[in-house]
Each structure stands twice: as structure tokens, then as C-alpha cells.
């Protein structure tokens, strides 16, 4: 099933739109547009990140592709059998996701990696479409507090009932579970807030839920 993605010229968020235009002048060969979700719409696992990194997804056009967060995420996905092919940090590397899809709470790169509340809210309609379109979805993995809260908004769930914690695990309904993790950003791994072992534990837990 096709899931509606923001169009390439989306200008619903004026700040993000003008940031994209500025980047498009500076970095003419880069994607510099909303980044569509990647992977299997029939997948049982949906991974939700924050927003494209300037020199990562905003450059390559594929979520988590081309930056540190992606190096860790794709290596871990490979280890747990969610990929086929080799991750090569470009959208043309031929990598396929197996039983899994990756999206972001906000589809355009935000200045300083910080989307505003209004931008997160505006982009939430695309997250709702992802959830509606993934008919076999069983587990949602949120990377970081913003993704976690965006998913709860998209599902119309109370934030107080599903607190963001690392390795949180919640049942959302009969078919759907939510797992929360610290974001696999360079900042979090450099500061030791998230280690590779901690991240792998998240995927061990997801495997038992699928
Ligand atoms: N790249 C993405 O696409 N999303 C993130 O959250 C971080 C890096």
C-alpha cells in the first residue's frame, strides 16, 4: 500500500521551508526536501526518529542515512535481521529493510536539529498516515522523547499514561505495542547516555514482541 508523503515543495512550516531554500542554495547537490519514509509498508515494526540531520537524511534523502545516528541504527538493524544488502550511507546503496519501516516525527531538517512544537504538530498528519497505512504493524519504536510524544499525539493517547523512558514498553491496544529508547544520536552515544549494548537490548526486546 502507498502511504502519502509530504510533497517535495511542502511549505506548511514556513521556518523549515525557508531553511530548506537556504540549504538548497548552499548545497546544490543535496536532497534539501522533506524526507519520505523508508521501508516496508507491510512491516510489523515502525521506527520513528526525530527529523532529518542536515548532513545526513537532508543530504541523502533517506532517513538516518549518512550520519552517525544512521551508522548505529543500520548496523543494529542488520544484526537483528531487519535488513538485506549492505548499508553504504547513501540512498543508492541497495539496502532493503525487512519487516520494518523508518520515518521521522518531522520530515524536514530543522535549524539546530530542534523542531518547534508547532512544526511537530503540523507534520503529525504524515505520521498518522503512516500508522493508518501499516496494516500489519505490531511494534512502534520511538527514538527520543520528541518521537515518543509525536506518536502518542498521532494515536490520540495520553502522554501521562505512556511516559518516555529508555527501554519503556507499553501495550497500546490488542495488536500494537510501543517501545521507547533514547535516540541513537552521536551526542547520546558520546556522553554514554546510550551505549551500543543498551541499544541492542531494545532490539532483543522488539524481537520477542514480533
Ligand atoms: N536522521 C534521521 O532521519 N532522523 C533522526 O532522528 C536522526 C538522524
Amino acid at each position: 500500500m502507498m502511504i502519502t508523503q509530504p510533497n517535495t515543495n511542502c511549505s506548511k512550516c514556513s521556518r523549515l521551508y525557508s531553511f530548506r531554500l537556504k540549504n538548497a542554495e548552499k548545497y546544490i547537490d543535496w536532497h534539501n526536501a522533506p524526507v519520505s519514509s523508508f521501508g516496508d509498508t507491510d512491516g510489523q515494526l515502525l521506527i520513528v526518529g526525530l527529523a532529518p540531520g542536515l548532513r545526513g537524511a537532508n543530504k541523502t534523502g533517506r532517513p538516518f542515512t549518512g550520519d552517525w545516528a544512521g551508522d548505529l541504527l543500520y548496523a543494529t538493524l542488520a544484526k537483528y535481521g531487519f535488513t538485506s544488502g549492505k548499508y553504504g550511507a547513501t540512498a543508492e546503496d541497495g539496502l532493503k529493510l525487512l519487516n520494518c519501516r523508518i520515518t521521522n516525527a518531522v520530515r524536514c531538517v530543522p535549524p539546530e536539529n530542534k523542531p518547534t512544537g508547532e512544526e511537530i504538530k503540523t507534520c503529525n498528519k504524515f505520521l498518522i498516515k503512516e500508522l493508518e497505512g501499516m496494516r500489519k504493524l505490531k511494534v512502534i519504536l520511538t527514538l527520543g522523547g520528541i518521537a515518543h510524544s509525536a506518536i502518542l499525539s498521532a494515536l490520540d493517547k495520553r502522554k501521562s499514561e505512556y511516559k518516555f523512558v529508555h527501554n519503556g514498553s507499553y501495550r497500546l491496544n490488542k495488536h500494537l505495542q510501543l517501545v521507547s529508547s533514547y535516540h541513537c544520536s552521536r551526542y547520546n552515544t558520546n556522553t554514554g547516555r546510550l551505549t551500543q549494548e543498551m541499544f541492542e537490548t531494545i532490539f532483543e526486546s522488539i524481537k520477542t514482541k514480533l
Side-chain angles (χ1 to χ4, degrees):
M1 181 184 180
M2 284 286 287
I3 299 178
T4 307
Q5 303 297 308
N7 81 52
T8 338
N9 298 316
C10 184
S11 58
K12 290 185 195 310
C13 304
S14 55
R15 189 183 75 119
L16 300 185
Y17 180 60
S18 53
F19 190 49
R20 267 177 26 220
L21 292 181
K22 265 194 220 141
N23 287 325
E25 275 176 22
K26 249 205 271 182
Y27 310 110
I28 52 171
D29 298 332
W30 292 11
H31 176 72
N32 297 312
V35 175
S36 295
S37 309
F38 173 42
D40 189 358
T41 55
D42 276 339
Q44 293 178 306
L45 171 64
L46 176 66
I47 299 171
V48 186
L50 167 60
L54 177 65
R55 294 180 166 73
N58 175 66
K59 178 176 179 184
T60 62
R62 196 175 73 182
F64 285 91
T65 299
D67 55 22
W68 166 255
D71 288 352
L72 178 54
L73 178 61
Y74 286 111
T76 312
L77 287 172
K79 179 160 180 179
Y80 288 89
F82 290 105
T83 60
S84 80
K86 202 169 174 317
Y87 171 68
T90 73
E92 293 78 38
D93 57 10
L95 185 81
K96 297 244 173 334
L97 294 183
L98 304 175
N99 201 22
C100 162
R101 187 164 166 89
I102 307 178
T103 194
N104 280 306
V106 173
R107 303 301 186 91
C108 294
V109 56
E112 282 154 35
N113 234 0
K114 286 196 180 71
T116 65
E118 199 55 35
E119 289 159 356
I120 297 166
K121 200 166 153 199
T122 302
C123 217
N124 207 250
K125 71 176 232 195
F126 295 105
L127 209 44
I128 294 172
K129 295 218 183 297
E130 293 293 327
L131 296 170
E132 288 169 352
M134 291 188 72
R135 296 298 164 88
K136 299 185 182 158
L137 188 60
K138 279 180 111 173
V139 176
I140 303 170
L141 168 62
T142 52
L143 298 178
I146 290 180
H148 187 75
S149 137
I151 275 293
L152 294 175
S153 301
L155 291 165
D156 215 8
K157 297 279 185 197
R158 276 171 198 261
K159 306 214 165 119
S160 56
E161 285 177 27
Y162 306 90
K163 290 233 160 64
F164 174 72
V165 287
H166 180 71
N167 207 6
S169 178
Y170 301 100
R171 180 156 288 285
L172 291 162
N173 62 39
K174 216 162 84 188
H175 312 284
L176 195 57
Q177 297 189 70
L178 174 64
V179 174
S180 47
S181 166
Y182 291 143
H183 193 286
C184 49
S185 63
R186 188 195 287 272
Y187 179 81
N188 281 346
T189 53
N190 277 352
T191 56
R193 186 175 172 86
L194 180 73
T195 63
Q196 190 170 339
E197 293 69 34
M198 284 165 74
F199 203 46
E200 289 182 1
T201 302
I202 297 282
F203 283 84
E204 302 275 357
S205 145
I206 289 172
K207 277 288 192 185
T208 67
K209 296 176 177 15
L210 296 179

